[in-house]
Amino acid sequence: MLKNAMSHFLGARRSREPEYAGAGGRVQLALPSALSASLGCDAVGVPARYGFRLMSHLPRTGCVFADGDRWWWIVPAGSDLDLDWPAQAAYVRGAYVPAVRPRLIHEPDSRTPYTPPIPLFLMVCQVTGVTPSWAAAGGQRAVSAP
C-alpha cells in the first residue's frame, strides 16, 4: 500500500510527457504540472550557443527547454504581437517546437512558467546583433489609442 501511494505521489510530481503533433516533426513542450500556465504558452527558440548568456542576463527566467540545436524559452501566448523577432530566433505558437526530445533544463522558482517576453526580445536582439524592431507606427494596434 505504501509503495503504491508513493508511486502515485511521485508520478504526480513528474512533468507530463511531450505530446507529438503528428508528421510535422513537432513536439509540444510539456510544462511541469505544478506550474500555472493561465496565459497560454508560446515558445521562443534561440541557437544553443546563446543560451547561457541569455539566462545569465535576464532578470527572471521561466521554463527553458533544450535540444541539440536550440534552447526554447516559454513565453505567454501572443508574445509575438508587435515584435519583430530576429531571424535567428524561432517563435512558435502553442509551444509546438521542431525538436525530437527537448528536455527541461531550467524550472523557475515561482509558480509561473513564463520568461518575460520584452526583456527576452531585447536580449535576443542584443546577442544576435539585430536592432530591436516593433510594428510600424500607424499600423494596426492590439488596443486602439484614445
Side-chain angles (χ1 to χ4, degrees):
M1 183 172 151
L2 181 60
K3 183 177 180 182
N4 189 27
M6 286 301 291
S7 68
H8 286 297
F9 175 74
L10 292 175
R13 291 184 54 200
R14 291 187 190 128
S15 65
R16 297 175 295 264
E17 289 298 314
E19 292 182 31
Y20 292 94
R26 294 184 177 262
V27 63
Q28 186 176 30
L29 299 175
L31 300 177
S33 59
L35 300 180
S36 172
S38 59
L39 300 176
C41 290
D42 289 346
V44 176
V46 297
R49 67 181 174 272
Y50 301 132
F52 286 113
R53 184 172 176 197
L54 286 171
M55 191 177 290
S56 67
H57 286 87
L58 286 168
R60 183 189 163 323
T61 303
C63 288
V64 181
F65 293 82
D67 63 8
D69 300 328
R70 290 194 177 270
W71 282 27
W72 296 96
W73 307 78
I74 298 296
V75 294
S79 294
D80 59 337
L81 185 63
D82 293 339
L83 296 178
D84 186 17
W85 288 89
Q88 291 182 2
Y91 188 93
V92 293
R93 292 192 173 113
Y96 281 97
V97 301
V100 177
R101 292 181 187 232
R103 66 192 185 288
L104 181 65
I105 61 170
H106 181 268
E107 188 173 336
D109 295 332
S110 66
R111 292 193 33 84
T112 178
Y114 306 118
T115 295
I118 300 299
L120 178 62
F121 171 72
L122 294 172
M123 282 300 305
V124 168
C125 288
Q126 183 178 11
V127 299
T128 59
V130 173
T131 302
S133 172
W134 283 264
Q140 190 175 17
R141 296 175 180 252
V143 178
S144 59

